[in-house]
Amino acid sequence: MNAEHHSSTIVGWREWVSLPGIGIPWIKAKLDTGARSSALHAYDIEETSDGERVRFKVRPWQRSLEDIVDVECPVHDRRRVRSSSGHSEDRIVVLLDVEIGGRRVAAETTLTERDQMDFRMLIGREALRQGFLVNPHKSFITGRAPKLVRRRNRDRA
């Protein structure tokens, strides 16, 4: 067997992930091999005066205002990103630890408004190539968030 294949974690096209470095234990993410970088729903995005750090808020639940997280972290990069609809926008990039199925990887993550999207987070191929194989026919292979968390995501806690 190929050692590279043997060390990969098989994941579904959508998974519950955590962002331990910024205090988010559960967020539903789409794993998208068509996207280069990862993206996180963020708002009230403000850079510090020196441009070295960024402050923003994350609302991890799709239909709820509960558990909003205030974040401040270093700016990793700035990029022009084109969405699947062809719209381009300049985005701040931060480096976040993402945990999927017990495996933690660093992900270059752009900050953007994703309120109209089905997923608060998108995990792109730069993060996925660090040891994940995506099975497009499966969802939540690595497990589900606890029932109370899933209900909160649907605003039925």
Side-chain angles (χ1 to χ4, degrees):
M1 249 191 178
N2 182 331
E4 183 181 354
H5 173 75
H6 193 62
S7 66
S8 294
T9 300
I10 298 173
V11 293
W13 72 272
R14 58 185 173 167
E15 294 287 349
W16 283 96
V17 305
S18 70
L19 304 172
I22 61 170
I24 297 178
W26 298 103
I27 189 166
K28 198 167 26 172
K30 177 180 179 183
L31 284 58
D32 187 351
T33 59
R36 179 176 163 233
S37 56
S38 300
L40 177 65
H41 170 68
Y43 64 100
D44 289 349
I45 302 168
E46 295 179 6
E47 289 185 70
T48 57
S49 58
D50 62 6
E52 297 290 318
R53 297 184 67 77
V54 62
R55 291 183 196 99
F56 57 96
K57 294 178 191 247
V58 177
R59 193 166 49 102
W61 313 124
Q62 290 170 279
R63 295 170 191 84
S64 172
L65 296 176
E66 290 186 46
D67 302 326
I68 293 171
V69 179
D70 291 307
V71 180
E72 181 175 327
C73 59
V75 171
H76 178 70
D77 197 5
R78 289 170 181 78
R79 278 193 202 134
R80 186 150 196 79
V81 177
R82 186 172 31 244
S83 70
S84 58
S85 65
H87 173 72
S88 290
E89 86 178 314
D90 293 322
R91 294 185 191 169
I92 293 173
V93 181
V94 296
L95 199 58
L96 296 178
D97 283 342
V98 179
E99 191 171 306
I100 309 170
R103 181 179 225 155
R104 188 179 293 195
V105 296
E108 289 185 344
T109 306
T110 65
L111 303 177
T112 186
E113 161 65 52
R114 293 183 58 84
D115 246 347
Q116 302 306 312
M117 308 303 277
D118 289 337
F119 296 90
R120 291 287 184 214
M121 184 161 200
L122 182 128
I123 311 287
R125 67 180 173 269
E126 285 181 345
L128 294 170
R129 71 169 41 121
Q130 297 177 63
F132 298 96
L133 291 174
V134 179
N135 181 338
H137 300 288
K138 300 285 185 177
S139 296
F140 310 118
I141 291 174
T142 63
R144 293 181 182 266
K147 192 173 191 174
L148 183 61
V149 170
R150 294 192 320 264
R151 282 187 173 174
R152 190 177 303 148
N153 190 59
R154 294 188 307 265
D155 195 23
R156 296 192 319 214

